[in-house]
Amino acid sequence: MLGSQERFLEMYELGMWQANCYILGDRTLQRAVVVDPGQDAFQMVLERLAANDVTCEAILLTHGHLDHVWSTPQLAEKLDVPVFLHPADRWLWDDPAKAFGNFPPGVLETQFGLTWHPTGDRLQDLRDGMRLTCAGMKVEVRHTPGHTPGSSVFLMRDGDPPVLLSGDLVFAGSVGRTDFPRGSFEEQNDSLRRVVLPLDDETRVYSGHGPETTVGVERRTNPFLRALI
Ligand SMILES: [Zn+2]
Ligand SMILES: [Zn+2]
């Protein structure tokens, strides 16, 4: 996995929205990176980092929706790491309730029991084409707006097979919803055409929800991708 025996990828489906949180790491380097720590991820991530004997270097966010960011401020403080998010989703980081439309102020506390304290000073901007090295792995960032304006995916081409962490852009058999505030069906289709369709068949896709799949399987069977070919 990921090009080396010592590299690992763990996937956990968590919280009321059943969002996938990922921990990718290298046991030789004893380093890891956490992607999308949403609801109920705090304790689980700490336990898995300890079990793998790795230190977290950074938190990467595919987008600003609450099901993917819920535990991030608390976890970033605890681990003392930077948080990478595309600046076009900064409005969601500042107030995740904006994803629900015109909800009254305080809805996160009253509806979900969440006290949101975003720590802006830990935020670092993701940019299209940016290359990060996380836990010894080369990570290519692609900006893929549509589901949200700042939606981004993470591509690791140096492993065998290559890996795409796709957030809510594409799922096994489906694609992201675009009916949330500031979503765009056209932009999402453009992102799918530009970023997902050119990838090799064997590229493994780890989405924000649901099981893993491959680009080849989705190209052949996903009706939303087939419509773009
Ligand atoms: Zn989402
Ligand atoms: Zn989601």
Side-chain angles (χ1 to χ4, degrees):
M1 173 54 64
L2 302 174
S4 148
Q5 286 294 322
E6 298 304 321
R7 287 184 183 175
F8 66 91
L9 182 155
E10 296 184 353
M11 165 178 167
Y12 298 94
E13 190 178 61
L14 298 170
M16 70 177 114
W17 295 284
Q18 299 189 292
N20 292 330
C21 171
Y22 295 94
I23 304 174
L24 295 89
D26 186 310
R27 293 191 187 91
T28 304
L29 298 175
Q30 295 185 292
R31 312 291 286 177
V33 60
V34 176
V35 179
D36 286 359
Q39 190 186 20
D40 296 341
F42 180 74
Q43 203 56 40
M44 193 280 303
V45 167
L46 295 182
E47 284 169 17
R48 295 310 304 161
L49 292 172
N52 284 295
D53 194 23
V54 290
T55 306
C56 179
E57 285 182 347
I59 295 173
L60 306 183
L61 299 175
T62 59
H63 62 297
H65 279 161
L66 195 55
D67 50 337
H68 300 256
V69 308
W70 181 300
S71 300
T72 304
Q74 191 190 7
L75 199 56
E77 280 304 311
K78 175 80 177 172
L79 297 171
D80 191 24
V81 294
V83 175
F84 288 85
L85 175 72
H86 194 282
D89 271 8
R90 182 77 189 233
W91 60 290
L92 288 168
W93 177 261
D94 291 340
D95 182 6
K98 292 230 162 62
F100 304 111
N102 292 321
F103 272 41
V107 69
L108 294 182
E109 288 213 349
T110 55
Q111 283 286 105
F112 303 120
L114 172 66
T115 308
W116 183 253
H117 290 302
T119 46
D121 55 335
R122 291 193 177 276
L123 270 196
Q124 306 224 10
D125 288 348
L126 292 172
R127 292 185 316 275
D128 187 54
M130 184 180 200
R131 283 160 204 270
L132 301 167
T133 303
C134 297
M137 291 173 271
K138 293 193 182 81
V139 180
E140 188 181 329
V141 177
R142 299 304 308 271
H143 180 214
T144 53
H147 177 67
T148 63
S151 285
S152 299
V153 300
F154 307 113
L155 189 55
M156 277 152 276
R157 296 184 196 262
D158 62 339
D160 183 26
V163 164
L164 176 72
L165 290 156
S166 71
D168 286 2
L169 173 64
V170 59
F171 309 112
S174 187
V175 295
R177 286 173 59 176
T178 54
D179 57 336
F180 293 113
R182 304 195 203 177
S184 164
F185 181 70
E186 289 73 25
E187 278 189 62
Q188 179 162 273
N189 280 343
D190 180 60
S191 295
L192 290 164
R193 268 194 215 98
R194 196 167 41 80
V195 175
V196 177
L197 287 179
L199 296 174
D200 291 337
D201 274 355
E202 70 268 23
T203 308
R204 239 171 244 279
V205 180
Y206 295 94
S207 320
H209 302 269
E212 66 172 277
T213 180
T214 67
V215 168
V217 166
E218 295 314 305
R219 202 195 313 277
R220 284 195 303 279
T221 64
N222 187 323
F224 300 93
L225 289 191
R226 287 176 60 91
L228 300 177
I229 297 170

